[in-house]
């Protein structure tokens, strides 16, 4: 079963042409193929997460799409349950996820498909953002998914000349996009590796969409790939879908023909449309860097700020909550003194650059400020993962920070601990203590 992702990207044009390339819609991509026996399960899952500093390289001679990215990461060794559980956190009904096996030009690869079994509501970017923001997804996965959809919505908005909030997703395609974005976010968060991508092939020709005939590469896909290397694929057809482009644009630090890497694990994700001169596969390589790879990552985030001297503490707290729910990595308020000696606040939010415009509009809408400052910054992160520990109070997620910065640090998710403490009638400090003890004993 194929999933027609591209039937569903953006402001009602929805890419209902199914994107001729069709990675995401039951396409037989890649030369004569044969069925892989059902007993073939692909490589074994990773016994443990990669070491901090690992590098993940997507080699995409046939392009890529959201389903191919998820399939390649699972074939690489990310446990399937990481993807399935993450998508399940959203509570999207009448949806079945499936993994399969396929052969492309003699290469055994994994496939990923989404089957929508019932009617789905009309979904906007704002609705999908709220769905993800209010879910029980782990914080790292949630931030990645919000970052990806922000890039996709911003691209569609630029193409159609509308605000990102007004971008609509076709009913079935929205479910496909949600599964691919959230599934890939969970898998990338599980690996915790820096991501590079090979230069991406761009197809030629045209596709039919509800807005009319569109040129290839699809306008939204190209918008998502600003800053990444591309080249002419030499033949007609779609090679990179908007969902795939948004995932790469949101998470890769740059392009490289082949980085200096010592491979440790290799995964293959299969598309299904036939291409005349190459197999439709995406290769994911996980390894350790064997040299410097400078791909000009540059600035990655933006700080959005405003000074206000007429907001109450309640309104400031509400703004922080809205900013975080809207996809900001962090949000805070700092006391300052303004002209005439007035006590005031500086409201600040840190967000991926692709979200800076949206969060600037939100700040003007939700605060009393008449102006907003935006400055781009580079964010360096300590690798972190979320570990689920078993305690007498139940399973509790613990965020673990790693990397070459001293011993690992751990912190139980406070909101979960607070809810557990209320349910069991114990102090939250006791739940925190027990969770930390469980994490320490699991090392």
């Amino acid at each position: 079963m194929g999933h027609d992702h591209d039937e569903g990207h953006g402001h009602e044009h929805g890419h209902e042409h199914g994107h001729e390339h069709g990675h995401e819609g039951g396409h037989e991509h890649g030369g004569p193929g044969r069925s892989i026996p059902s007993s073939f399960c692909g490589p074994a899952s990773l016994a443990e997460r990669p070491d901090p500093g690992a590098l993940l390289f997507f080699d995409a001679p046939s392009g890529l799409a959201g389903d191919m990215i998820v399939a390649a990461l699972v074939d690489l060794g990310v446990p399937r349950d990481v993807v399935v559980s993450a998508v399940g956190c959203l509570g999207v009904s009448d949806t079945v996820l499936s993994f399969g096996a396929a052969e492309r030009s003699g290469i055994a690869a994994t496939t990923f498909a989404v089957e929508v079994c019932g009617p789905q509501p009309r979904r906007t970017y704002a609705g999908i953002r709220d769905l993800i923001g209010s879910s029980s997804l782990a914080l790292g996965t949630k931030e990645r998914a919000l970052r990806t959809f922000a890039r996709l919505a911003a691209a569609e908005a630029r193409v159609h000349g509308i605000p990102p909030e007004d971008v609509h997703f076709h009913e079935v395609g929205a479910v496909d996009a949600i599964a691919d974005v959230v599934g890939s976010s969970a898998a990338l968060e599980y690996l915790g590796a820096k991501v590079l991508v090979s230069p991406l092939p761009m197809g030629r020709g045209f596709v039919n969409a509800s807005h009319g005939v569109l040129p290839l590469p699809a306008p939204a896909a190209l918008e998502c790939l600003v800053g990444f290397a591309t080249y002419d694929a030499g033949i007609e057809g779609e090679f990179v879908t908007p969902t795939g482009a948004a995932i790469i644009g949101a998470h890769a630090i740059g392009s490289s023909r082949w980085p200096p890497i010592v491979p440790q694990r290799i995964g293959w994700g299969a598309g299904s449309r036939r291409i005349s001169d190459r197999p439709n596969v995406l290769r994911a390589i996980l390894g350790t860097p064997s040299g410097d790879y400078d791909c000009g990552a540059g600035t990655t985030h933006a700080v959005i700020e405003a000074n206000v001297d007429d907001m109450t503490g309640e309104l400031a707290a509400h703004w922080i909550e809205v900013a975080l729910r809207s996809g900001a990595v962090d949000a805070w308020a700092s006391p300052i003194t303004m002209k005439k000696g007035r006590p005031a606040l500086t409201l600040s939010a840190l967000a991926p650059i692709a979200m800076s415009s949206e969060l600037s509009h939100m700040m003007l809408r939700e605060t009393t400020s008449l102006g907003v400052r935006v400055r781009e910054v580079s964010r360096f992160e300590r690798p972190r993962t979320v570990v689920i520990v078993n305690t007498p109070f139940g399973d509790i997620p613990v965020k673990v920070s790693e990397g070459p910065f001293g011993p690992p640090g751990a912190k139980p998710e406070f909101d979960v601990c607070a809810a557990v403490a209320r349910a069991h009638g114990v102090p939250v400090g006791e739940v925190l203590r027990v969770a930390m003890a469980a994490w320490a004993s699991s090392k």
Side-chain angles (χ1 to χ4, degrees):
M1 67 193 96
H3 57 283
D4 256 344
H5 260 157
D6 302 324
E7 291 188 16
H9 297 162
H11 187 49
E12 283 289 274
H13 85 33
H15 292 67
E16 294 180 293
H17 41 75
H19 282 194
E20 182 69 18
H21 175 22
H23 288 292
E24 295 168 324
H27 317 143
E28 276 292 330
H29 210 209
R34 59 182 173 83
S35 298
I36 298 294
S38 59
S39 58
F40 175 79
C41 299
S45 294
L46 287 161
E48 57 185 23
R49 290 183 173 88
D51 293 334
L55 182 62
L56 175 65
F57 177 56
F58 285 113
D59 181 31
S62 303
L64 49 78
D67 60 326
M68 295 176 74
I69 292 173
V70 174
L73 293 176
V74 167
D75 197 71
L76 181 79
V78 174
R80 296 181 181 186
D81 188 58
V82 169
V83 173
V84 175
S85 297
V87 177
C89 286
L90 302 177
V92 177
S93 60
D94 298 320
T95 303
V96 178
L97 308 183
S98 62
F99 293 91
E103 179 265 349
R104 300 289 180 263
S105 297
I107 299 170
T110 294
T111 62
F112 174 64
V114 180
E115 182 180 9
V116 182
C117 306
Q120 295 291 325
R122 180 184 180 91
R123 288 186 167 94
T124 64
Y125 165 58
I128 292 175
R129 185 187 62 201
D130 290 344
L131 177 70
I132 295 171
S134 62
S135 72
S136 59
L137 283 167
L139 294 180
T141 299
K142 183 181 296 186
E143 191 273 332
R144 286 180 180 269
L146 289 170
R147 190 194 319 168
T148 305
F149 266 114
R151 195 173 186 98
L152 181 56
E156 295 284 6
R158 281 192 293 270
V159 170
H160 299 296
I162 59 172
E165 296 289 330
D166 294 341
V167 171
H168 289 79
F169 292 77
H170 182 267
E171 288 84 347
V172 175
V175 176
D176 286 342
I178 290 168
D180 282 359
V181 168
V182 172
S184 62
S185 295
L188 290 170
E189 184 70 12
Y190 181 87
L191 293 173
K194 293 289 187 183
V195 179
L196 286 174
V197 65
S198 65
L200 295 172
M202 297 287 106
R204 306 169 179 173
F206 300 89
V207 289
N208 293 315
S210 57
H211 281 293
V213 177
L214 295 177
L216 288 175
L222 199 57
E223 287 282 352
C224 287
L225 292 177
V226 169
F228 290 86
T230 62
Y231 66 95
D232 181 9
I235 59 176
E236 292 196 355
E238 184 182 40
F239 282 75
V240 178
T241 66
T243 303
I247 294 169
I248 291 300
H251 303 296
I253 60 175
S255 302
S256 176
R257 288 207 171 273
W258 193 277
I261 186 174
V262 178
Q264 295 173 340
R265 301 278 297 218
I266 300 166
W268 296 89
S272 48
R273 175 181 166 244
R274 231 177 258 281
I275 296 181
S276 60
D277 65 346
R278 70 199 76 185
N280 184 6
V281 288
L282 171 66
R283 175 162 50 181
I285 301 98
L286 180 69
T288 55
S290 57
D292 294 332
Y293 53 93
D294 181 7
C295 50
T299 56
T300 59
H301 289 67
V303 175
I304 303 98
E305 291 183 333
N307 294 344
V308 294
D309 61 3
D310 56 353
M311 277 185 67
T312 66
E314 287 178 326
L315 285 176
H318 172 74
W319 171 80
I320 291 175
E321 179 183 345
V322 172
L324 294 173
R325 193 169 63 240
S326 298
V329 176
D330 200 0
W332 63 96
S334 307
I336 60 172
T337 301
M338 291 179 62
K339 57 187 177 183
K340 300 181 181 179
R342 295 173 182 168
L345 295 172
T346 294
L347 304 177
S348 307
L350 176 68
I353 289 176
M355 300 185 67
S356 59
S357 177
E358 178 186 346
L359 282 166
S360 296
H361 293 164
M362 182 276 295
M363 181 176 281
L364 291 173
R365 186 177 65 247
E366 295 288 343
T367 74
T368 58
S369 177
L370 300 178
V372 173
R373 302 182 298 276
V374 179
R375 53 188 171 88
E376 295 185 358
V377 298
S378 295
R379 185 185 190 221
F380 298 91
E381 303 177 25
R382 184 172 184 178
R384 77 262 190 252
T385 56
V386 175
V387 177
I388 305 299
V389 299
N390 182 259
T391 76
F393 303 114
D395 290 344
I396 294 176
V398 177
K399 185 184 294 183
V400 180
S401 56
E402 301 171 305
F405 310 105
K411 181 181 179 182
E413 293 291 357
F414 186 83
D415 289 346
V416 175
C417 291
V420 167
R422 287 193 297 270
H424 289 269
V426 298
V428 67
E430 175 64 11
V431 178
L432 292 168
R433 185 191 66 78
V434 170
M436 281 298 295
W439 172 76
S441 64
S442 69
K443 292 195 302 178

